[in-house]
Amino acid sequence: MKNKTWSGRFKKQINEDVLDFSQSLTVDIVLYEADILVTEAHVEMLYECGHISLKEMRKIRAGLKKLRSLANNGELPWSVEFEDVHMNIENALVDLIGEVGKKIHLGRSRNDLVATDMRIYLRELLDVTSAEIREFRKTITNLAVKYHANIFPGYTHLQIAQPVTFGHHLLAWQEMMARDEQRLNNVKSMINVMPLGSAALSGTSLKLDRSMVAKKLGFDGVTKNSMDAVSDRDYIVDFAHANAMTMMHLSRISEELILWMNPQFNLIEIDESFCTGSSIMPQKKNPDVLELVRGKSGAVYGNLMSLFVLLKGLPLTYNRDLQEDKNIIFESIDTTISSIDIINKLMQTLKLNKENAHYLAETSFSTATDLAEYLSAKGVAFRDSHHIVGSVVKYCESKNMSMKQLTIQEFNTFSKLIDNDVYKYISVEHSVSARKNIGSTSPKNVLKNAKQVLSTLHKNKTKK
Ligand code: ARG
């Protein structure tokens, strides 16, 4: 057994099974780059503060550089005997540069180190997630431009309710995803605070320049309480929550796409390369990708709950339970990123079945509200208009007709105020274009909003 980290205190070596049970290397190995980065900044600061010599600092930095390239090339001999990524790096460094490598842990503990590494790593994954969301927002918004004027059935209670433009529906998804991106930005401000310097729990007697390290590592600032800093995992719960929310949105989007591509709705086509067949039924074209996204959202919600349960009983400060946060959040992030990516690609193949969408949008007396508003524009109180149109609908249903099939004489049996222009007002085209208030479905609004979204997406990209 090579692990000498705490062998000064122990007579016996660690039991093999305990080591196997407690090691975290297999999960936290992904933190190696962050760990090296943090150590580089830490030793520079140790030198600036006079705790190590320039020569020592240079030797350590050169060693870390070498370690990085060994690790990147898969040539670092990782060993679970050293328990985790942090002690593997430290031991490998000592092997590489000798005694001076033992100085890197001055003024820090694995408790503040693991928290710092995690914040750096999650910060990167957060940026990847945001970038995926932006790509998806672009795809949806481009489709909204393309279909800004196409009529589509709008639903409430999954019953056709009123006509909308397809672009408007797509931009509803855009809004959900824009909030997800904003939520991630909020999470980033929670993540980007540096715990290093908190050491085990109470800080260190060494004089450190924490702000210098924070600046080198791109943190916005340093944590204010060492005890909180080593036990805080709120930012992980926040990230898991942001993931859960995104998966909830993707799951709802999936559900809609599944319905729409069902031949009974026949509203859209998805390219068959994104569909799957059946092993027995030769005719099947199934939306498995979307069902999987919907299904995977369950585990991501569960992970949020797992983190809450993991944390709820923990006394300050560090407890080994905290090691278990990684698998959970990494799974959430992986699932979320891959789900956004696949839905984004699938959406790029989407085609609207324009005729059928138009046809369905005209069914179910979808412009009955327009008729009521038409009467109210002529002075009828809305409640009375509602009642009159209710009678019109009842009449049409009994005759198995749509409203536009009624003659003007038939209309006049319900209200003398109805003129020949009514046919225009109850058309789906008029219905959507009349809805011009901010946030409403008119083609003009949709096009304007879509272009605004695209220009923000474009602008933010050039800023980066
Ligand atoms: N492997 C541990 C983790 O990921 C590192 C911190 C260990 N600290 C300790 N006091 N045992 O949480």
Side-chain angles (χ1 to χ4, degrees), residues 32-273:
Y32 81 85
E33 276 186 282
D35 202 79
I36 292 173
L37 211 62
V38 171
T39 303
E40 281 171 344
H42 180 66
V43 294
E44 276 174 27
M45 182 276 291
L46 288 180
Y47 159 68
E48 301 278 351
C49 293
H51 301 301
I52 58 174
S53 71
L54 182 62
K55 206 171 142 210
E56 290 172 325
M57 191 270 278
R58 288 196 171 141
K59 197 160 180 197
I60 294 171
R61 287 216 42 147
L64 289 168
K65 196 170 166 201
K66 175 92 182 129
L67 272 194
R68 179 183 282 120
S69 90
L70 285 175
N72 286 342
N73 296 329
E75 288 163 6
L76 207 76
W78 301 104
S79 169
V80 291
E81 285 171 30
F82 299 126
E83 186 185 307
D84 58 23
V85 68
H86 322 289
M87 296 208 299
N88 265 275
I89 297 281
E90 187 177 324
N91 279 287
L93 185 70
V94 175
D95 280 351
L96 204 66
I97 64 172
E99 289 296 298
V100 61
K102 293 182 180 169
K103 296 206 168 183
I104 62 169
H105 215 53
L106 185 65
R108 72 178 198 186
S109 146
R110 273 185 304 157
N111 296 352
D112 58 346
L113 181 58
V114 67
T116 307
D117 289 1
M118 271 299 270
R119 285 173 186 260
I120 288 176
Y121 187 62
L122 291 185
R123 189 168 80 176
E124 279 165 21
L125 290 181
L126 190 140
D127 286 343
V128 176
T129 316
S130 284
E132 285 287 348
I133 289 180
R134 297 176 75 75
E135 285 308 309
F136 185 40
R137 289 177 61 200
K138 244 183 256 169
T139 302
I140 307 171
T141 311
N142 282 326
L143 282 170
V145 170
K146 180 171 174 190
Y147 294 122
H148 71 277
N150 290 94
I151 307 290
F152 195 76
Y155 293 81
T156 62
H157 312 271
L158 199 54
Q159 315 283 323
I160 291 174
Q162 287 180 336
V164 290
T165 45
F166 188 46
H168 196 52
H169 197 127
L170 292 164
L171 287 189
W173 294 351
Q174 193 298 122
E175 290 291 319
M176 299 178 193
M177 301 314 294
R179 285 196 297 275
D180 286 342
E181 196 185 328
Q182 194 186 336
R183 193 169 293 109
L184 283 174
N185 285 339
N186 298 342
V187 175
K188 193 160 179 181
S189 67
M190 295 290 192
I191 290 183
N192 210 25
V193 188
M194 191 193 74
L196 204 73
S198 303
L201 74 158
S202 62
T204 167
S205 60
L206 248 63
K207 191 179 168 326
L208 304 179
D209 189 342
R210 295 185 65 208
S211 300
M212 179 195 289
V213 183
K215 209 164 158 214
K216 284 182 199 290
L217 293 172
F219 283 103
D220 299 328
V222 297
T223 52
K224 303 267 185 305
N225 180 296
S226 60
M227 297 178 76
D228 176 52
V230 295
S231 70
D232 172 27
R233 296 294 184 272
D234 294 1
Y235 58 97
I236 296 184
V237 183
D238 286 335
F239 202 163
H241 171 254
N243 286 155
M245 193 75 93
T246 297
M247 288 305 292
M248 184 265 280
H249 291 151
L250 296 182
S251 182
R252 292 182 68 176
I253 291 170
S254 296
E255 174 63 14
E256 292 196 293
L257 292 169
I258 290 167
L259 287 172
W260 295 349
M261 67 180 278
N262 182 308
Q264 290 167 53
F265 281 74
N266 189 27
L267 285 166
I268 57 160
E269 300 290 335
I270 297 294
D271 192 79
E272 59 179 38
S273 60

Side-chain angles (χ1 to χ4, degrees), residues 6 22-25 28 31 82-87 109-112 114 118 200 233 318-326:
W6 49 72
S22 61
Q23 65 85 19
S24 57
L25 179 68
D28 62 26
L31 298 177
F82 299 126
E83 186 185 307
D84 58 23
V85 68
H86 322 289
M87 296 208 299
S109 146
R110 273 185 304 157
N111 296 352
D112 58 346
V114 67
M118 271 299 270
R233 296 294 184 272
Y318 181 85
N319 298 274
R320 192 65 179 271
D321 315 46
L322 292 173
Q323 182 171 293
E324 297 301 304
D325 59 1
K326 291 172 199 65

Side-chain angles (χ1 to χ4, degrees), residues 407-454:
T407 62
I408 203 71
Q409 288 75 18
E410 282 172 301
F411 268 126
N412 285 152
T413 62
F414 298 98
S415 169
K416 295 275 176 256
L417 292 169
I418 301 178
D419 289 324
N420 266 319
D421 61 353
V422 72
Y423 299 104
K424 178 182 125 190
Y425 282 92
I426 60 169
S427 73
V428 289
E429 283 77 11
H430 187 274
S431 175
V432 295
S433 42
R435 284 165 167 72
K436 327 187 214 290
N437 292 320
I438 296 176
S440 294
T441 191
S442 77
K444 246 191 179 164
N445 272 0
V446 171
L447 192 60
K448 190 172 149 213
N449 289 345
K451 288 192 165 160
Q452 260 167 13
V453 173
L454 287 175

